[in-house]
Amino acid sequence: MQTTDVIVLGAGMVGVSAALSLQARGRAVVMIDRRGAGLETSFGNAGLIERSSIFPYVFPRDPARLVKYALNLLPEAHYHLTALPGVGPWLLRYWRESAPERVAKSIAARRPLIEHSLSEHEALVAQAGADALLRHTGWIKLFRSETTFRAGIADAEKLAKYDLHIDILDSADVAAREPHLAPVAGAVHYLDTASVSDPGALAKAYADLFLARGGRFIHGDASSLTQEADGRWSVAGPEGRILARDAVVALGPWSDQIFKPLGYVMPFGFKRGYHMHYAPGEGARLNHPVLDADNGYLLAPMAKGVRLTSGAEFAPRDAPPSPVQIELCEPIARRLFPLGKALDPAPWKGARPCLPDMLPVLGPAPRHKGLWFDFGHAHHGLTLGPVSGRLLAEMMTGETPFTDPSPYRADRF
């Protein structure tokens, strides 16, 4: 039997960040994962550290747009008809939580996390020697028509009171910043956001830092988590069980495999997503992550090539891949930017773990001493991993939390 202070279940960006924050506060930590650091949900995303994302992704309220979603006519969202009995109740709850008065509460709750997200990353990047992965170029939201461009400007203006840096670009401005894009009506450039050229590599760099500072990583099955008679928590490892006073559930979309058997009921859902890499066309270069707002996909320059990322797919977490959105968006993306050959044998698939208010579950498990939750970061696991880890570690070690953690409590629903 091995002993430690804390077991962290999950080695994605959220789990690794929590392990580092606890380690920095003097706790001995063992991290458990079935694979390795950054190889699951943290591997496949747009690579944005979204400092400007004050407003959450909400369920649309426009009736005409809802009809199009219902008919699977828009590439930014797709659902499986056979999945509706399972995902329908969650979608209804998501719709209810997207009411204006509830969104206002969500904005207030997420703001402290968003505002500290980049600074927490920058500190870890410096400590991990991963500066080459981080780019302070912001991201660009493109609009194809004057109508959608005006709406995009209106959305950007709502952020004025949050002290963000935003440029409004006309067609010529876009061409100056991205000369290889096809003409568009205009764009909004969110300058405070940073991006990374390889999200999986960033998670691995953080994990390497954790190991260099004396942390331990063990390949193991998180579902073997058990509370012993003395109240401590244990997990099966290849050389026997690991025993700790505290355990952190940071398993992203698989977190329900722990909290459900323990009797916790939460409206936990998934937004699946896909990505595919392409070589840039001869002589072409993409300088920023760019979102085609009218068509619901994003192109991001990555170490491997240009990554095309899809919107949200509503389906069971482990259902077979159905990369319809990549197939729909690829020809549109090729008309926007000269993509060359595909560099992946098939689109990558992942699942974003979501609560309907688009806030994470972060803090103590209400009925189990020593059990802590850190999951459900929706579209912002990469963005919020380090700041969530800091807040969790402050709670676990008795420090005064830098912000009120009550909006993220597990029993808020």
Side-chain angles (χ1 to χ4, degrees), residues 90 94 97 259 266-269 352-361 375-378 412-413:
W90 187 87
Y94 184 23
E97 293 293 337
F259 71 73
M266 302 181 211
F268 192 63
R352 309 171 184 96
C354 302
L355 284 301
D357 59 2
M358 294 293 107
L359 295 173
V361 175
F375 57 79
H377 294 76
R412 67 182 184 266
F413 295 102

Side-chain angles (χ1 to χ4, degrees), residues 231-311:
R232 290 185 292 176
W233 296 90
S234 71
V235 177
E239 299 178 2
R241 298 195 72 83
I242 301 99
L243 189 68
R245 184 182 68 182
D246 294 304
V248 176
V249 180
L251 291 165
W254 294 278
S255 297
D256 60 341
Q257 295 181 351
I258 303 297
F259 71 73
K260 280 186 177 180
L262 292 173
Y264 293 96
V265 178
M266 302 181 211
F268 192 63
F270 312 99
K271 293 184 183 181
R272 303 203 319 178
Y274 298 82
H275 80 229
M276 189 81 171
H277 290 100
Y278 301 85
E282 185 175 355
R285 178 181 175 86
L286 189 66
N287 299 312
H288 309 79
V290 295
L291 172 68
D292 184 345
D294 293 15
N295 291 295
Y297 67 88
L298 185 143
L299 294 175
M302 293 284 179
K304 186 174 181 178
V306 177
R307 180 179 288 187
L308 168 62
T309 69
S310 74

Side-chain angles (χ1 to χ4, degrees), residues 194-207:
S195 64
V196 295
S197 58
D198 188 333
L202 184 65
K204 187 178 184 305
Y206 290 175

Side-chain angles (χ1 to χ4, degrees), residues 371-389:
L371 184 65
W372 301 82
F373 294 149
D374 188 2
F375 57 79
H377 294 76
H379 297 260
H380 294 114
L382 173 66
T383 296
L384 298 178
V387 69
S388 295

